[in-house]
Amino acid sequence: MAGQSRGRSALIALLVAIPVVGMVGITTVTASNVATPAEHVVLELGSTEARVVIAAAPDPQFTQDPINDRFSGHSDQVIRADAAQSIEPTPVTAASLFPAGTHLLSIRKTNVVAETKDGLGSFNAVQGQPWEAAFAGKYDVTSGSAPTNDGEIMVTAAALDRLGAQIGSTAVMTAPRAASFTIVGTIRYAHFDDSIVAFYGMPGAFDGVMPDDADLMTEWYLPDTPLTWSQIGELNPRGATVLSRTVLLDPPPAGSSPFDSSFSRDFENLFIALLGGFALFEVALLAGAAFTVGARTQQRTLATLASVGGDKRMLFRVMSFGGVILGALGAALGTVLGLAGAWIFMQISANGSAARYPGFHLDLVSMLVIAVFAILAGWCAAAVPARVAGRIDVLAALRGAQPPPRVTRRRPVAGLVLVAIGAVIVVTGGLVELAAYVPAYRPGLATLGIWLIVGGPVIMQIGAVFVAPLILRWAARTASRFGPAARLATRDVARNPGRSVPAIAAIMSCVFVATFAMSLVATFQLNSTKNYVFGAPLDTAWVSLNTSVDEPPYGYELQTTGLEVVAAVDSSFLSAQARLLSSAEEPPMGFGEADAGGSAPATPTFALPRINPDTVCPSDASRLGSSPEAENRTDIRCPTPYYLDTFMMSSTNDHIWVGDLEDFAAILGEPVSEDSQATLAAGGAVATYAQYVVDDSIQIDWITELNSTLKPARSVTLAGSVQEPEHPLPYAVFMLTATADASNLAYRPSMVLSNIGAAPTQAEFDHAQGALAAISPKFSLIRESGPQTYGASWTWALLALTAIIALVTASITIGLSRADGHRDNAVLTSLGASPRVRRAFGFWQAVVIVGLGSIIGVLLGLVPSLALSLTRDTAGLSLLPFTPPWLQLALVVVALPAVVAVGGALTAGGNRTRFSNRAAFD
């Protein structure tokens, strides 16, 4: 029977194929993103046998993950008594780990500052022998020849364009030391895309440091010395980590190491499963409507089959097996197109990095599961019409009569009960989610609440499907007052729920998911903006003079090259003027902790502004290392905001800043108010937050320990006022230089700040990074661009996707209704109905179907977001505020049905059926 209506069968097969294309494509691209063990070996080791890195000082408890040498550390579960007695107390060299004469290749990464066609630039550089044949697959020479001396280098293809050079040209470096090099060839690194600029030279070519002199920063490769897992276990206690070809291809059993770098793809698989399930659900609804129309057009054939002895089970099997056949055809077609689409997408999205798509991998298990579910969707789509076909009235069907559907009260009542049950489940989920956050967060309870919140609206949608025929009959009565076309269209929709309700359900479920997703995106955008940590005013670039120390005891050190940094920034951004800002030194990490003798040092002392203890979390105001969120869940002051937390900001953000009015304006990102100017001129200080001002005064304490309950070594009280910045900034108190000197407050330059406005050009950025790297390779330029504004783009994208799905759904539904109602159309034409009437008929069909589906979908889609907003923090504010994008939702409810209705009207007028065509009435 599927072959008797090839157009309708092709439509059903295509409907099944569409989600299969998407799911097969997604699973194939996802699988192709993950390297197989053999591919992973090539990407990491090339043709070598192992990579060895001296990562730590010798320790019998040091171990690593078998397949990821970057994942290592100390563990009490691993200790070798023999190693504890034989290891050296200081880091060893890689060469000492192997017998004399072992062939080792070195790779050491650094940064260089090079002259480009646009100015100076800071780039990645590699010193070693990456062009050796042993590195094939990891590093590949693409043109030219390998360097033969320290004056020759290789570069990436992008570097030639950035430098404005070619093979044979000279590259000029200004840091880490000034030198000129001849470019002799280009090379590609498997993990770099085509846009990366990098330089490759002989060992020590760029910075003069040989790999043996910097073992902790060098990767050593063994071209012909394989290492087993047991041998790696002997090397780990000596501070070495190893990535071995032998182990990667034949890893030890799980649990062989306390470190495990593997990650679960359960969430990713769940997302794909949910997406696929939703798509197949949509397909089942639309294909079900097509099967319903097909069953009605083939009712004489079914009646003939029944009249010659066919029972209900035979009629069911005949109809439902058609769904299986078309589902299988759709699955096969979708699989082929999905694989082709995945291959095309990979070719388009490839960026030149071999690690992006290590290979074209087929996930056979997922493809089989997708095919099975596609066939099941086809069977489900045919099952309901097949069940109805089993109850066919043979005599009426042979006469060609089509009795109207029976109206019953049971389905609407059952639907209302399901809607009520779903609403109760949603409310319960919201209350469970609220309870999960008070008094302490309980993840298990929170997960249960989320499932209830999502599951409730799904049950409500099922209830809405049962109630939809009743709503359609109400709509038919209401629309009768809008003219004959509206009356005919709405009655046609109401009298044919077999094709109308699936279409409404398809649009409703699509709009439900889109509404829920848009609401969540809007909520996350609001939270992201609210919780974003500004490091400086918006569109401001800044450079911290505090740089990290890579050697014990680690920490930070203050550079004294502030004026050079100012000159470098000013020379890069000509339209801005950098400011060198000064601040009082913060206590270092570990300040005030007891020494080995059990006593805390009395000196030195550090100045901090005193915060009003009544405005912060009690535990934060007295000690470090507390857990205020767990201890004070009911206190609205907990946890203390980051910009008021003295302990958390210590050693990373200074609190007291000193300078002139222009410096303060640069810190605020806005002009200094007249009140603030008066306070500063009078010898006072201005706080950026009211919590630092008590009785119009600010108190500065010189402390010897981070504990506000102890008496400070010295205190100074200054007149104070408040000028809050537009965004929370980590700058607490500002005073003029004269005030700081009068208070005997020590301060020093600590930051360079420049309001550069719009995003820098590539040339400006290159010049700034290069100029800073020439001063110190640890300097970095940071531009404050504010929080990402992804909410609007995502909601508009979801709206566009919803519109496309709704248009396709409505087109299929209207097309099916026209095919099913060809006799009615013939009657209208024979009675002289004008094209205007037929256009209005199509218009109102779309308005009812798309409009009703959109309204129900939006209302139900808002329910889970509203339930999630019940969660509260200690201040009584919602953790997930209810902030749906009302503009986009209004367009879904109003504009989407209008667009589809106009399209339905424009395509309806030309459908003419002449009275002389007797087949139209049969």
Side-chain angles (χ1 to χ4, degrees):
M1 296 182 68
Q4 293 180 356
S5 180
R6 296 182 180 180
R8 189 179 302 111
S9 298
L11 173 64
I12 295 172
L14 184 60
L15 286 173
V16 175
I18 290 174
V20 174
V21 170
M23 288 187 289
V24 169
I26 291 174
T27 55
T28 302
V29 172
T30 301
S32 301
N33 267 313
V34 181
T36 63
E39 291 167 343
H40 184 55
V41 166
V42 174
L43 292 175
E44 294 295 332
L45 299 177
S47 301
T48 64
E49 292 293 334
R51 176 175 67 206
V52 180
V53 176
I54 305 301
D59 190 319
Q61 293 180 312
F62 187 73
T63 186
Q64 68 167 85
D65 177 70
I67 61 174
N68 187 353
D69 57 333
R70 313 294 187 191
F71 200 13
S72 61
H74 301 80
S75 174
D76 294 334
Q77 302 178 29
V78 178
I79 183 167
R80 296 171 55 90
D82 55 339
Q85 298 178 6
S86 62
I87 63 176
E88 300 82 354
T90 57
V92 300
T93 62
S96 67
L97 299 175
F98 305 100
T102 301
H103 187 196
L104 293 171
L105 296 175
S106 66
I107 293 291
R108 190 167 67 84
K109 299 175 182 178
T110 186
N111 289 310
V112 297
V113 177
E115 293 183 0
T116 71
K117 60 183 180 182
D118 297 317
L120 294 177
S122 179
F123 307 104
N124 298 315
V126 171
Q127 300 172 110
Q129 306 91 3
W131 44 80
E132 289 283 343
F135 285 115
K138 182 180 178 71
Y139 294 100
D140 294 299
V141 176
T142 54
S143 64
S145 59
T148 57
N149 56 66
D150 290 348
E152 296 178 344
I153 62 172
M154 303 188 78
V155 299
T156 59
L160 293 178
D161 180 65
R162 181 68 68 86
L163 299 177
Q166 58 186 357
I167 295 177
S169 300
T170 299
V172 179
M173 309 288 178
T174 60
R177 61 176 183 171
S180 297
F181 301 90
T182 301
I183 301 174
V184 296
T186 60
I187 192 170
R188 174 181 293 169
Y189 177 40
H191 292 272
F192 280 173
D193 60 50
D194 292 336
S195 65
I196 298 297
V197 176
F199 297 83
Y200 300 83
M202 301 284 283
F206 298 123
D207 58 10
V209 179
M210 299 304 294
D212 291 331
D213 299 328
D215 233 356
L216 290 174
M217 303 173 62
T218 302
E219 298 175 352
W220 296 94
Y221 291 82
L222 301 168
D224 47 22
T225 305
L227 295 176
T228 64
W229 177 239
S230 60
Q231 291 174 308
I232 294 174
E234 296 174 356
L235 293 173
N236 285 160
R238 304 189 69 180
T241 61
V242 181
L243 187 68
S244 168
R245 174 185 295 270
T246 303
V247 176
L248 284 176
L249 297 178
D250 186 18
S256 300
S257 170
F259 293 96
D260 184 7
S261 62
S262 61
F263 59 95
S264 173
R265 293 187 174 271
D266 291 344
F267 178 80
E268 183 179 277
N269 295 333
L270 177 62
F271 174 77
I272 295 176
L274 291 175
L275 181 64
F278 166 72
L280 290 175
F281 173 70
E282 294 276 310
V283 165
L285 291 173
L286 296 177
F291 274 114
T292 298
V293 173
R296 294 178 61 171
T297 59
Q298 295 173 336
Q299 62 177 356
R300 285 187 177 180
T301 303
L302 295 172
T304 302
L305 184 62
S307 67
V308 296
D311 56 8
K312 293 182 179 181
R313 287 186 299 175
M314 176 179 287
L315 295 178
F316 179 84
R317 287 196 295 266
V318 169
M319 286 288 296
S320 61
F321 192 67
V324 173
I325 294 175
L326 296 178
L329 289 175
L333 177 62
T335 299
V336 173
L337 294 179
L339 292 176
W343 186 85
I344 294 173
F345 174 81
M346 290 169 59
Q347 301 306 308
I348 295 174
S349 61
N351 57 7
S353 170
R356 176 71 177 270
Y357 299 116
F360 188 73
H361 304 154
L362 304 183
D363 190 344
L364 297 179
V365 175
S366 297
M367 290 169 59
L368 179 61
V369 171
I370 292 169
V372 170
F373 275 93
I375 295 173
L376 182 62
W379 180 85
C380 291
V384 174
R387 183 171 176 270
V388 174
R391 300 196 300 266
I392 190 172
D393 185 339
V394 177
L395 293 178
L398 290 175
R399 294 197 312 267
Q402 295 182 356
R406 291 180 298 174
V407 177
T408 63
R409 294 184 178 180
R410 288 185 300 173
R411 287 187 179 180
V413 171
L416 293 175
V417 171
L418 287 175
V419 171
I421 292 174
V424 171
I425 292 176
V426 171
V427 173
T428 303
L431 295 177
V432 169
E433 196 71 14
L434 175 62
Y437 284 83
V438 178
Y441 178 69
R442 286 167 284 183
L445 199 60
T447 302
L448 174 61
I450 291 175
W451 279 109
L452 292 174
I453 289 173
V454 175
V458 173
I459 296 176
M460 295 174 72
Q461 285 187 80
I462 297 174
V465 171
F466 282 97
V467 180
L470 177 62
I471 300 176
L472 288 175
R473 291 194 293 272
W474 290 346
R477 297 191 189 100
T478 304
S480 298
R481 67 188 67 177
F482 294 102
R487 181 171 61 254
L488 292 172
T490 53
R491 285 183 178 180
D492 176 75
V493 171
R495 286 172 57 87
N496 295 279
R499 54 176 162 82
S500 302
V501 172
I504 292 174
I507 294 174
M508 175 186 66
S509 61
C510 172
V511 172
F512 164 78
V513 173
T515 300
F516 184 29
M518 285 191 285
S519 298
L520 281 183
V521 168
T523 297
F524 293 154
Q525 175 69 82
L526 179 64
N527 281 344
S528 175
T529 303
K530 182 176 64 176
N531 299 325
Y532 181 79
V533 178
F534 281 82
L538 193 63
D539 293 330
T540 294
W542 56 283
V543 180
S544 175
L545 300 182
N546 275 304
T547 58
S548 60
V549 178
D550 298 330
E551 299 177 355
Y554 304 108
Y556 294 87
E557 65 178 358
L558 184 70
Q559 303 291 333
T560 58
T561 54
L563 293 177
E564 297 177 44
V565 172
V566 169
V569 174
D570 281 342
S571 65
S572 304
F573 307 103
L574 302 179
S575 61
Q577 182 177 1
R579 308 290 303 180
L580 179 60
L581 305 180
S582 297
S583 60
E585 184 180 2
E586 290 285 294
M589 296 296 292
F591 172 69
E593 295 180 357
D595 58 19
S599 60
T603 57
T605 60
F606 294 90
L608 286 174
R610 178 179 295 186
I611 194 168
N612 185 354
D614 294 333
T615 62
V616 295
C617 196
S619 55
D620 285 351
S622 60
R623 59 190 172 85
L624 180 63
S626 61
S627 180
E629 188 170 357
E631 299 173 7
N632 303 275
R633 285 294 308 178
T634 59
D635 194 327
I636 64 173
R637 298 169 296 178
C638 301
T640 299
Y642 78 96
Y643 46 82
L644 299 178
D645 193 340
T646 301
F647 307 131
M648 294 304 295
M649 290 175 61
S650 177
S651 78
T652 57
N653 294 100
D654 294 339
H655 284 70
I656 304 176
W657 295 81
V658 179
D660 55 25
L661 292 178
E662 292 185 356
D663 292 335
F664 192 32
I667 288 175
L668 294 172
E670 60 187 33
V672 181
S673 66
E674 294 182 0
D675 186 39
S676 297
Q677 293 184 38
T679 301
L680 294 173
V686 177
T688 53
Y689 301 99
Q691 289 87 342
Y692 291 106
V693 179
V694 179
D695 297 331
D696 296 326
S697 63
I698 296 175
Q699 182 165 316
I700 308 297
D701 295 330
W702 278 258
I703 63 172
T704 57
E705 185 175 343
L706 287 177
N707 190 333
S708 63
T709 61
L710 300 180
K711 183 178 180 180
R714 183 167 70 93
S715 296
V716 170
T717 301
L718 302 173
S721 63
V722 179
Q723 182 173 351
E724 293 189 356
E726 181 181 359
H727 307 287
L729 296 172
Y731 312 102
V733 172
F734 183 87
M735 64 182 69
L736 297 179
T737 303
T739 304
D741 294 338
S743 303
N744 197 22
L745 174 71
Y747 55 91
R748 74 280 188 268
S750 59
M751 178 185 291
V752 174
L753 187 146
S754 179
N755 187 358
I756 61 175
T761 64
Q762 186 64 57
E764 290 175 328
F765 184 81
D766 278 355
H767 190 280
Q769 291 293 103
L772 291 173
I775 301 172
S776 171
K778 295 183 179 180
F779 281 144
S780 62
L781 178 75
I782 301 175
R783 176 180 174 268
E784 182 54 70
S785 57
Q788 292 184 344
T789 55
Y790 57 85
S793 58
W794 272 99
T795 51
W796 285 113
L798 287 169
L799 175 62
L801 180 61
T802 303
I804 292 173
I805 296 175
L807 285 170
V808 172
T809 301
S811 299
I812 294 172
T813 304
I814 293 173
L816 290 173
S817 68
R818 291 175 183 171
D820 189 35
H822 65 284
R823 292 196 303 177
D824 297 334
N825 188 37
V827 172
L828 285 175
T829 303
S830 66
L831 294 177
S834 65
R836 179 178 179 183
V837 173
R838 292 195 295 273
R839 288 193 183 97
F841 186 90
F843 178 88
W844 284 103
Q845 269 187 327
V847 167
V848 173
I849 294 173
V850 181
L852 186 58
S854 299
I855 292 173
I856 298 175
V858 167
L859 293 176
L860 295 183
L862 293 175
V863 170
S865 297
L866 187 60
L868 286 172
S869 68
L870 294 178
T871 56
R872 291 290 186 269
D873 59 13
T874 55
L877 301 176
S878 176
L879 293 173
L880 295 170
F882 181 66
T883 56
W886 296 112
L887 174 60
Q888 287 85 345
L889 296 182
L891 291 175
V892 169
V893 173
V894 178
L896 181 59
V899 171
V900 177
V902 170
L906 294 177
T907 57
N911 185 14
R912 295 179 177 273
T913 305
R914 297 185 181 277
F915 182 79
S916 59
N917 186 2
R918 180 56 184 262
F921 298 95
D922 294 333

